[in-house]
Amino acid sequence: MSREQTIRYLQDMAGMREQDLRRSLLAQRQMLNQLREKYALLQGYLDHYRQESAAREGAGIAGGDILRWRGFLQQLNTVLQQQGQLIREQEQRLQHLQRQWQQAKAREQVFSHLLQRLDHDRQLAELKRAQKEMDDWALRAVQMRVGF
């Protein structure tokens, strides 16, 4: 395998890795958005039920009902805290994945740049070869006229 073929292969592999990570990043962002939406929904429920509980306590409901309401609110608050923890963990996963994607993107760009340099070097060598041929041809033409 030539140097160019090797670099092309490595660029292709880096490009596939970058695309895979990009797709994963998108999926993880969507998951984070869903977790945040669920958190907002749970927060809304908690606020609503706290207001309802306060209204019922103000209306004078039985002590057993108050305890059940407080237990329910505590459970809802616990679920909300768990959801918050899930969001923080997802944000960490997303940051890690973002760094991996950035590294993969940079790697793919390095290989692309190397290929551009190889192509440029090849073109430059071809120009030099063509110029040498032209110089040699011109020299032979002058020598033929002069009669060497």
Side-chain angles (χ1 to χ4, degrees), residues 100-118:
Q100 285 182 321
W101 173 77
Q102 288 171 338
Q103 290 169 353
K105 182 72 175 165
R107 195 172 297 121
E108 193 267 337
Q109 288 174 341
V110 164
F111 290 127
S112 177
H113 181 70
L114 283 173
L115 286 171
Q116 288 174 355
R117 283 185 55 195
L118 282 175

Side-chain angles (χ1 to χ4, degrees), residues 39-98:
Y39 183 88
L41 186 63
L42 289 169
Q43 184 66 51
Y45 288 154
L46 183 60
D47 292 343
H48 171 75
Y49 287 122
R50 277 185 179 153
Q51 290 173 359
E52 190 172 325
S53 175
R56 287 179 185 232
E57 284 183 33
I61 61 171
D65 287 340
I66 290 174
L67 290 177
R68 279 193 294 278
W69 269 99
R70 287 183 182 166
F72 171 71
L73 289 174
Q74 182 58 40
Q75 286 177 338
L76 193 52
N77 192 48
T78 299
V79 169
L80 189 66
Q81 289 173 355
Q82 290 170 345
Q83 188 69 17
Q85 180 62 32
L86 289 174
I87 288 171
R88 287 185 290 281
E89 290 170 1
Q90 182 64 19
E91 287 171 340
Q92 289 174 352
R93 281 190 294 274
L94 195 59
Q95 289 172 358
H96 178 71
L97 193 57
Q98 178 77 26

Side-chain angles (χ1 to χ4, degrees), residues 128-142:
K128 285 181 180 179
R129 186 193 59 74
Q131 183 63 47
K132 185 173 184 329
E133 284 180 14
M134 295 286 283
D135 290 347
D136 289 346
W137 182 80
L139 182 61
R140 280 190 299 250
V142 168

Side-chain angles (χ1 to χ4, degrees), residues 7 24 31 62 67 114:
I7 293 173
S24 294
M31 183 180 289
L67 290 177
L114 283 173

